[in-house]
């Protein structure tokens, strides 16, 4: 037959005829225009002629032509029916926000919105675990199917606050995916989804010491329990104590969520501290109460991700107070001196002496 073209502008059918054909085998196939699909091939008029539609003797989506073994004296009419192909994909997830590592499951609703059967359906997500699963690859007009895939949300993504890239203005602080749906009959379509990431950095510090009280000079050792109570990894952790020997020591500067570490430092409680306590100037401030005589320190811990937090510790200092003589005490001393003088004694610089 050679090539020929039919004009179906406006949806009007068109046809062509071939006459004076000799008995023999003839093939007719269609080059389907973009975004259109061959929906069906039907042939009639054959009594002795053999007609093979597609490769299996009956029309299937994706078939493009028909083979006719024409018998002498017979007329065969074949009708090719086309439909406009179109489709949509809608991506969704039951996960609406992310604040901890875990698995995100995506659903993809694929709908055939045209009047042509779609074949070789395929979906590709740019940020899943390469585990896309679809129950079918062919959809009749008006039909739908739901595909699924997953994404493993990691601690590293939570720490960063995004995946895969912060440069995406559509989702600068979330997990972002784009799905692409393709078929043999129409151009590809896409949909995207952004799931926000919630970062909550936080930490605590608890200061303690095995020294529960002080009454003489010595070394006081402090322990600082630092705990990451937030959901992101803390980095650049540093501690500062306002009354230690500038010897703060920590085993790490990074803590994963729920992890903890113990830092240490010391204070040399010397005679000057003890004298200050004796004089009532070494004090621990107690809100709403009189100050307590003791050794007082405040520790502050900070990180690159969180706000600084503090804790304090007061270690009581016990001292022997020098009694201040009262009026009764002075009277007793004066009477004693008079009695000694009457008996012929006097008080020398270092000892009791008798005089004549």
């Amino acid at each position: 037959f050679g090539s020929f073209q039919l004009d179906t502008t406006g949806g009007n059918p068109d046809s062509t005829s071939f006459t004076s054909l000799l008995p023999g085998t003839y093939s007719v196939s269609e080059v389907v225009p973009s975004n259109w699909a061959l929906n069906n091939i039907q042939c009639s008029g054959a009594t002795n002629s053999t007609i093979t539609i597609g490769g299996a003797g009956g029309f299937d989506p994706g078939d493009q032509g028909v083979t006719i073994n024409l018998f002498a004296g017979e007329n065969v009419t074949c009708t090719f029916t086309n439909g406009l192909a179109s489709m949509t994909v809608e991506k969704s997830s039951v996960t609406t926000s992310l604040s901890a590592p875990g698995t995100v499951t995506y659903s993809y609703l694929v709908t055939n919105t045209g009047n042509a059967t779609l074949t070789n359906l395929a979906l590709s997500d740019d940020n899943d675990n390469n585990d896309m699963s679809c129950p079918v690859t062919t959809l009749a007009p008006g039909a739908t199917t739901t595909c699924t895939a997953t994404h493993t949300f990691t601690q590293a993504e939570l720490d960063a606050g995004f995946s895969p890239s912060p440069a995406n203005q559509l989702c600068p602080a979330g997990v972002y995916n784009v799905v692409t749906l393709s078929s043999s009959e129409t151009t590809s379509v896409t949909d995207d989804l952004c799931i926000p990431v919630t970062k909550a950095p936080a930490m605590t510090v608890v200061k303690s010491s095995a020294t529960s009280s002080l009454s003489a000079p010595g070394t006081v050792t402090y322990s600082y329990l630092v705990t990451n109570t937030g959901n992101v990894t803390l980095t650049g952790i540093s501690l500062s104590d306002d009354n230690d020997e500038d010897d703060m020591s920590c085993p790490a500067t990074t803590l994963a969520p729920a992890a903890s570490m113990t830092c240490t430092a010391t204070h040399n409680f010397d005679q000057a501290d003890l004298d200050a306590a004796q004089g009532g100037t070494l004090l621990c401030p107690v809100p709403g109460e009189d100050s307590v005589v003791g050794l007082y320190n405040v520790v502050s811990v900070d990180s690159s991700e969180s706000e600084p937090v503090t804790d304090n510790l007061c270690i009581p200092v016990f001292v022997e107070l020098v009694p201040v003589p009262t009026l009764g005490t002075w009277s007793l001393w004066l009477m004693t001196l008079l009695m000694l003088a009457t008996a012929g004694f006097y008080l020398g610089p270092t000892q009791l002496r008798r005089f004549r």
Side-chain angles (χ1 to χ4, degrees):
F1 298 148
S3 298
F4 60 94
Q5 185 171 348
L6 300 179
D7 184 4
T8 57
T9 304
N12 297 314
D14 193 10
S15 64
T16 189
S17 298
F18 301 92
T19 61
S20 303
L21 296 178
L22 297 175
T25 301
Y26 299 90
S27 295
V28 181
S29 61
E30 178 185 30
V31 177
V32 182
S34 177
N35 293 329
W36 287 80
L38 180 58
N39 281 348
N40 199 10
I41 302 175
Q42 291 179 314
C43 297
S44 63
T47 301
N48 297 305
S49 299
T50 303
I51 300 172
T52 303
I53 299 174
F59 181 81
D60 291 313
D63 289 344
Q64 298 296 316
V66 58
T67 299
I68 303 169
N69 188 2
L70 187 61
F71 194 78
E74 288 195 341
N75 294 321
V76 176
T77 300
C78 291
T79 302
F80 287 63
T81 304
N82 291 277
L84 184 64
S86 64
M87 60 187 178
T88 61
V89 58
E90 296 179 22
K91 180 177 180 178
S92 63
S93 177
V94 295
T95 302
T96 57
S97 65
L98 291 162
S99 59
T103 300
V104 180
T105 299
Y106 297 113
S107 296
Y108 309 85
L109 178 62
V110 178
T111 304
N112 184 340
T113 56
N115 56 12
T117 299
L118 301 176
T119 63
N120 297 318
L121 291 168
L123 281 85
S124 175
D125 192 305
D126 65 353
N127 198 16
D128 68 353
N129 291 330
N130 294 323
D131 58 351
M132 184 69 69
S133 176
C134 295
V136 297
T137 58
T138 299
L139 273 185
T144 64
T145 188
T146 299
C147 303
T148 59
T150 63
H151 172 88
T152 302
F153 182 62
T154 66
Q155 184 64 51
E157 291 174 328
L158 179 55
D159 292 342
F162 54 81
S163 172
S165 170
N168 190 332
Q169 297 302 313
L170 297 175
C171 189
V175 174
Y176 185 71
N177 304 55
V178 176
V179 62
T180 301
L181 170 65
S182 62
S183 76
S184 297
E185 290 73 27
T186 185
T187 55
S188 298
V189 293
T190 63
D191 193 26
D192 61 359
L193 183 66
C194 176
I195 301 178
V197 173
T198 302
K199 300 173 63 175
M203 61 181 174
T204 60
V205 59
V206 178
K207 180 177 181 179
S208 62
S209 176
T211 303
S212 57
S213 64
L214 292 162
S215 59
T219 298
V220 179
T221 299
Y222 297 112
S223 296
Y224 310 85
L225 178 63
V226 181
T227 304
N228 183 344
T229 57
N231 66 351
V232 297
T233 301
L234 299 178
T235 63
I237 297 174
S238 62
L239 282 79
S240 175
D241 192 304
D242 65 354
N243 198 15
D244 68 355
E245 302 300 325
D246 294 328
D247 58 350
M248 184 69 67
S249 175
C250 295
T253 59
T254 298
L255 277 181
S260 62
M261 67 176 176
T262 299
C263 303
T264 58
T266 62
H267 174 88
N268 292 328
F269 184 73
D270 56 17
Q271 188 61 47
D273 289 330
L274 189 59
D275 292 344
Q278 181 79 38
T281 59
L282 188 69
L283 301 174
C284 298
V286 179
E289 301 180 14
D290 294 335
S291 296
V292 176
V293 176
L295 180 63
Y296 185 72
N297 302 57
V298 176
V299 62
S300 176
V301 57
D302 199 2
S303 77
S304 300
E305 292 76 19
S306 63
E307 296 295 324
V309 293
T310 62
D311 193 25
N312 61 76
L313 183 66
C314 176
I315 300 178
V317 178
F318 296 104
V319 295
E320 294 183 5
L321 297 178
V322 177
V324 178
T326 63
L327 180 60
T329 304
W330 283 113
S331 298
L332 180 61
W333 273 98
L334 182 59
M335 292 177 62
T336 303
L337 289 174
L338 290 174
M339 292 175 62
L340 289 173
T342 302
F345 290 89
Y346 75 96
L347 291 176
T350 59
Q351 61 181 335
L352 187 66
R353 297 183 180 181
R354 182 165 185 149
F355 66 92
R356 295 189 181 270

